[in-house]
Amino acid sequence: MGKRPTRVANLKGVILVAKYLLLKHYRGAPASVNDVPMDQWTPEEIEAHIQYMQDFADRLKDSGEYVDSQALAADGAWVRSDGDGKPPVTDGPFAETKDLIAGFMIIDVDSYERAVELAGELSSAPGAAGEPIHEWLEVRPFMGSPTTVTE
Amino acid sequence: MARGATVHGIPDDRHRVVDEAQLRDLIPGVLGVLVHRGADFATAEDAVQEALIRAIERWGTSSGESPDDPKGWLITTAWRRFIDLTRSDVARHAREQRVWNEPPQGPTESVDDTLELYFLCAHPSLTSASAVALTLRAVGGLTTRQIARAYLVPETTMAQRISRAKRTVSDVRLDRRGDPRTVMRTLYLVFNEGYGGDPEVADLASEAIRLARRLATSTDDPEVAGLLALFLLHHARRPARTRTDGSLVTLADQDRGLWRRDLIAEGVAVLQAALACDQLGEYQAQAAIAALHADARTAEETDWGQIVEWYDELVALTGSPVVQLNRAVAVGEANGPRAGLAALAELDPTLPRYTASAAYLHERTGDVDTAATLYAEAAAQAHSVAERNHLTLRAATLRQQRRT
């Protein structure tokens, strides 16, 4: 899927240390390989999944690559300003929204390759029948700082 | 010393910071003495860090009095702390018994100790992120919290990164000379981070200059001098590079009256001495380009012909496609935008900033429509907010000119 994003590089083309967002979607991503909804798993399978996620985060904390991770509740709403002096307008939640973000992890790694490697590991979390889910995760680089060579 | 102090000064608490910077200058030497006495690197580094923090607490206040011999005090305090740390671990680490039973020798420190410390912290077995963190802490004397804030990661993450790095290098035997290139690359990364980062959070650019200065006194490698000159010449432009709102000012638009002439003079002197050694390297060539920019009183006076020649040297030295891209832009200035576009056409269009460079060269040819489209495209590909905003603004400005 897609081509490798270009990254801010220094003179030698060395990719600078950068943060990446690993984005997990409830909806909107292509179907997982092991595509069974979580509510149909056994309790043991759910526990194994949660444990895997915990261990994964712990490993990144230990390697000094962890920044943050959060899960998001599903009941989002759309909000917009309705002009000065008026309260903001809210709408939703929309059941039909195509894209729904489930959560994210932020990592601080040495290379794009390392970010992809970690996303691959995260995608292998066990699901139904204890088999890896192999779900699609979105990997997005953070904006960085302008470098000397850009001047 | 006075010049170092101004580079390090942070407006709110200048005197304290000056003391701290001077103290941190002593750190590599103190650590060198401990390691020289047989202390293991990882524990010694912890001990020195704790001694430093104690010194800052004790002497950092206006009422605090610093001893006549701060370095001696740091060595004694760090050594005592090292023995405490080792003792508490001694049951598990019998081999360390040998170390603290040995009577401490008098303070001995050589230029080589400092140099070895640089090599150790930038050891090739470390990732660049780890090398940067370890260098800032063990050589620079920054605290883990300061480094974490500079790189916008949690303190626990940075603490882990540093302790892993220390474990990685703790078994390294420095029986032969390390590669200065890894050290220079590490300092270059620190400087680059500081170049775009917020100096209020952590002045990494100044820190890189301080460390490069030290390194330059420990070795006669002209590339180290080239690196220091490069830092100084770029740093000199910092006051002119951003507006108060943080937006970027391009080199051509910078108020050259804001450039730091003292840093430029120093950078040029350091560079000239390096070039006289007749061992050209990439940092010297980059510094030469920066010096030519610094030399021009107005953007129009810039000697682009010479800059292209230096880019030719750089291409020969590095073969880097990023350098070739910068060369194409310089060709555009020296020989006209069409020559620049022709040079650009030979390069890979997926290179970072290729589209932005093409936009600029098209703008110079007067092809405003193409330029505006390319600026907008480049903005969508930008990898920093400041760059994206600048490119979006160029696109918008050209489109507005079109309408009026």
Side-chain angles (χ1 to χ4, degrees), chain B residues 103-117:
Chain B
Q105 301 145 7
T108 50
E109 184 220 339
S110 65
V111 160
D112 276 356
D113 285 341
T114 303
L115 202 53
E116 279 187 6
L117 194 56

Side-chain angles (χ1 to χ4, degrees), chain B residues 135 201 217 255 278 310-311 349 361:
Chain B
T135 299
V201 174
T217 60
D255 175 357
D278 204 21
W310 279 109
Y311 271 121
L361 290 168

Side-chain angles (χ1 to χ4, degrees), chain B residues 61-298:
Chain B
T61 55
S62 48
S63 60
E65 271 183 43
S66 57
D68 296 333
D69 177 15
K71 185 168 176 182
W73 188 93
L74 281 170
I75 290 170
T76 307
T77 308
W79 181 253
R80 281 194 196 126
R81 186 63 194 137
F82 166 73
I83 288 172
D84 287 347
L85 289 169
T86 312
R87 272 191 183 132
S88 62
D89 261 4
V90 82
R92 287 186 293 120
H93 300 291
R95 65 185 171 85
E96 281 164 357
Q97 183 116 18
R98 180 181 52 80
V99 172
W100 59 268
N101 278 343
E102 267 174 28
Q105 301 145 7
T108 50
E109 184 220 339
S110 65
V111 160
D112 276 356
D113 285 341
T114 303
L115 202 53
E116 279 187 6
L117 194 56
Y118 273 92
F119 287 139
L120 190 65
C121 293
H123 196 266
S125 60
L126 298 171
T127 63
S128 55
S130 302
V132 161
L134 191 56
T135 299
L136 286 173
R137 201 178 121 138
V139 190
L142 294 182
T143 64
T144 303
R145 171 173 297 186
Q146 287 172 314
I147 304 167
R149 285 188 64 195
Y151 285 89
L152 305 175
V153 299
E155 197 176 337
T156 49
T157 293
M158 193 50 81
Q160 273 305 114
R161 197 178 287 177
I162 290 168
S163 84
R164 279 177 73 96
K166 289 206 285 189
R167 282 204 298 276
T168 304
V169 298
S170 59
D171 292 330
V172 168
R173 297 289 310 156
L174 282 174
D175 39 15
R176 60 195 177 91
R177 271 277 152 106
D179 182 359
R181 244 131 269 278
T182 60
V183 176
M184 288 189 268
R185 187 174 168 278
T186 301
L187 296 187
Y188 191 91
L189 288 175
V190 171
F191 184 78
N192 244 312
E193 188 70 26
Y195 190 80
D198 182 355
E200 299 286 316
V201 174
D203 197 347
L204 289 183
S206 297
E207 188 61 20
I209 289 172
R210 196 176 70 88
L211 296 179
R213 240 191 250 280
R214 271 197 79 97
L215 185 63
T217 60
S218 319
T219 167
D220 50 13
D221 185 334
E223 272 293 85
V224 171
L227 184 73
L228 174 60
L230 175 68
F231 289 171
L232 291 167
L233 290 164
H234 273 286
H235 201 61
R237 305 207 290 255
R238 179 150 89 171
R241 210 170 47 223
T242 47
R243 297 184 187 84
T244 44
D245 64 358
S247 62
L248 287 183
V249 185
T250 59
L251 190 50
D253 292 332
Q254 285 174 16
D255 175 357
R256 293 176 184 226
L258 295 175
W259 289 359
R260 296 264 310 265
R261 304 312 308 185
D262 56 333
L263 296 182
I264 290 173
E266 188 190 354
V268 168
V270 170
L271 174 64
Q272 277 169 344
L275 290 174
C277 300
D278 204 21
Q279 295 163 37
L280 189 62
E282 56 172 303
Y283 294 121
Q284 293 168 76
Q286 281 191 77
I289 292 168
L292 283 166
H293 285 301
D295 207 33
R297 275 172 305 174
T298 63

